[in-house]
């Protein structure tokens, strides 16, 4: 299944023809479904069904958009998307595939019903094909629609994550919020949107692997991890603060460059709005970081107070955490490349 995922992703990224890109998206969808429903729990089956229905509808819209464009222009090339209606339908279809608001409802539910490792795939590698399609069609996309969806995504991602206690749902709303930042800039600087996506993948991978290592799925369990794995808890706190976009951590870099680029495009008001809306998600990141580092949680039992390290620090997690927190000094080089 993982090989099929890699095949579908590679096929979509490397294709110039719409049918090949659509085939790659379909292979991806079919490969991830057994991974979501692997536990045979009713919750997992429900998540797989929701994911299948949503992605099938989005793939049909992608195909319909490309066929409409080919009917009017005779072009099947991905970069030659010129028909206005096709551009509008494609923007909506990719927004559904990514989970951009107002098409975001499926994503937290699917992530909540999936294991942490599958949730990592859903949040990272499964977002790459739609992002690459957005990258290739960025000159012809509907900028007004994308900007509206981006601002709504940032607002909803922060607002709806405030009252969650399940960590997978919090990370789902975090993903929706980050996608808003990527969508708002992709029409003006596609390379910057890709950079933002890569750094998001780096930080999210570190968070998911750490949570998988300490076997934590909700806030109440996260409160007791410090006594068991203090090193991993401290690393998780740093990565979460980086995801929140606090300087001088890596997560501040894409937000800084995006705000700079939006200001250059005379969109200072939009940049201000999206920055203020990201403060909502900062709250639940701070709450997660606080829960990860709390040394004596409320309502503790004697079992919780025992010091026993049952998960040694993984080298991969250590490398990813280091990169998730210390890449800000490379910003001058990235600024010249962009």
């Amino acid at each position: 299944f993982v090989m099929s995922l890699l095949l579908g992703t590679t096929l979509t990224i490397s294709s110039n023809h719409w049918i090949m890109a659509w085939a790659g998206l379909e292979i991806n969808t079919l490969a991830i479904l057994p991974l979501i429903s692997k536990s045979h729990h009713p919750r997992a089956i429900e998540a797989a069904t929701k994911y299948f229905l949503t992605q099938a509808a989005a793939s049909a819209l992608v195909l319909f958009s490309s066929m409409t464009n080919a009917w009017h222009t005779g072009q099947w090339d991905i970069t030659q998307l010129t028909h206005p209606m096709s551009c509008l339908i494609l923007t909506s279809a990719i927004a559904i595939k990514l989970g951009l608001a107002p098409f975001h409802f499926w994503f937290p539910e699917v992530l909540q019903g999936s294991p942490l490792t599958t949730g990592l795939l859903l949040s990272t590698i499964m977002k790459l094909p739609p992002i690459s399609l957005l990258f290739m069609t960025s000159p012809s996309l509907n900028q007004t629609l994308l900007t509206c969806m981006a601002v709504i995504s940032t607002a909803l991602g922060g607002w709806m994550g405030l009252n969650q206690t399940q960590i997978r749902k919090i990370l789902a709303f975090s993903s929706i919020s980050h996608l808003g930042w990527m969508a708002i800039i992709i029409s003006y600087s596609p390379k910057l949107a890709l950079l933002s996506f890569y750094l998001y993948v780096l930080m999210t991978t570190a968070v998911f692997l750490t949570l998988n290592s300490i076997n934590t799925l909700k806030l109440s369990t996260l409160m007791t991890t410090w006594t068991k794995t203090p090193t991993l808890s401290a690393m998780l706190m740093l990565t979460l603060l980086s995801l929140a976009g606090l300087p001088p951590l890596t997560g501040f870099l894409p937000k800084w460059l995006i705000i700079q680029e939006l200001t250059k495009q005379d969109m200072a008001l939009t940049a201000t709005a999206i920055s203020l809306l990201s403060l909502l998600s900062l709250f639940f990141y701070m709450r997660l970081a606080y829960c990860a580092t709390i040394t004596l949680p409320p309502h503790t039992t004697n079992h919780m107070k025992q010091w026993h390290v049952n998960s040694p620090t993984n080298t991969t997690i250590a490398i990813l955490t280091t990169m998730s927190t210390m890449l800000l000094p490379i910003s001058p080089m990235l600024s010249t490349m962009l």
Side-chain angles (χ1 to χ4, degrees):
F1 293 132
V2 174
M3 288 297 291
S4 299
L5 275 179
L6 294 173
L7 171 67
T9 305
T10 310
L11 196 63
T12 304
I13 292 170
S14 56
S15 58
N16 288 319
H17 197 284
W18 273 113
I19 297 293
M20 294 298 286
W22 172 79
L25 291 172
E26 287 299 301
I27 291 170
N28 257 5
T29 302
L30 293 174
I32 197 77
L33 286 172
L35 296 177
I36 297 173
S37 57
K38 188 170 60 176
S39 63
H40 299 297
H41 190 272
R43 190 74 187 77
I45 304 298
E46 180 192 341
T49 309
K50 284 178 178 175
Y51 185 79
F52 172 71
L53 292 173
T54 312
Q55 296 298 313
S59 294
L61 282 176
V62 167
L63 201 56
F64 179 63
S65 158
S66 55
M67 286 175 68
T68 309
N69 187 66
W71 179 267
H72 286 280
T73 63
Q75 284 287 345
W76 280 99
D77 196 328
I78 291 179
T79 54
Q80 302 295 323
L81 192 75
T82 51
H83 191 253
M85 183 55 73
S86 297
C87 296
L88 196 67
I89 296 170
L90 183 79
T91 309
S92 305
I94 293 182
I96 296 171
K97 275 209 161 288
L98 285 171
L100 271 174
F103 309 111
H104 66 287
F105 296 103
W106 64 271
F107 189 55
E109 298 294 324
V110 170
L111 211 63
Q112 178 61 27
S114 310
L116 278 170
T117 44
T118 310
L120 171 60
L121 290 175
L122 284 168
S123 299
T124 54
I125 197 170
M126 295 300 290
K127 304 275 187 194
L128 188 53
I131 287 275
S132 63
L133 286 179
L134 272 185
F135 180 84
M136 288 187 275
T137 57
S138 55
S140 53
L141 290 175
N142 191 313
Q143 291 181 4
T144 312
L145 179 63
L146 262 182
T147 305
C148 289
M149 286 197 296
V151 174
I152 295 169
S153 294
T154 315
L156 278 174
W159 193 263
M160 294 181 75
L162 291 177
N163 63 343
Q164 300 296 331
T165 57
Q166 297 289 332
I167 293 175
R168 282 171 295 182
K169 278 197 174 179
I170 292 175
L171 289 173
F173 288 119
S174 150
S175 177
I176 292 165
S177 180
H178 276 87
L179 281 169
W181 283 85
M182 296 169 213
I184 203 165
I185 201 65
I186 200 156
S187 300
Y188 306 104
S189 177
K191 286 183 182 177
L192 181 50
L194 271 187
L195 169 72
S196 181
F197 176 70
Y198 293 147
L199 291 177
Y200 164 72
V201 166
L202 176 71
M203 294 180 286
T204 305
T205 306
V207 170
F208 268 100
L209 289 180
T210 309
L211 289 169
N212 192 47
S213 184
I214 59 181
N215 197 21
T216 303
L217 295 175
K218 49 188 179 181
L219 287 181
S220 57
T221 321
L222 188 62
M223 285 183 186
T224 64
T225 54
W226 177 262
T227 55
K228 298 171 188 173
T229 52
T231 314
L232 283 175
S233 297
M235 289 162 72
L236 180 62
M237 180 202 71
L238 283 173
T239 317
L240 286 166
L241 293 179
S242 185
L243 258 178
L246 289 181
L249 304 170
T250 304
F252 175 61
L253 174 56
K255 293 190 175 181
W256 176 21
L257 293 174
I258 287 171
I259 291 169
Q260 191 178 353
E261 183 63 33
L262 285 174
T263 312
K264 285 180 189 172
Q265 300 287 343
D266 293 330
M267 295 176 69
L269 194 63
T270 312
T272 307
I274 204 169
S275 305
L276 289 172
L277 288 170
S278 68
L279 291 176
L280 288 167
S281 49
L282 173 63
F283 176 81
F284 62 71
Y285 285 124
M286 292 289 285
R287 187 175 59 176
L288 274 172
Y290 170 71
C291 288
T293 53
I294 194 169
T295 51
L296 195 64
H299 314 300
T300 49
T301 63
N302 287 327
H303 172 68
M304 289 179 183
K305 293 176 187 173
Q306 290 171 4
W307 285 77
H308 56 284
V309 179
N310 54 7
S311 299
T313 306
N314 194 325
T315 311
T316 312
I317 296 175
I319 293 169
L320 286 171
T321 305
T322 307
M323 292 174 70
S324 299
T325 51
M326 296 184 181
L327 287 186
L328 193 62
I330 67 166
S331 52
M333 181 184 73
L334 289 172
S335 298
T336 54
M337 287 168 60
L338 295 170

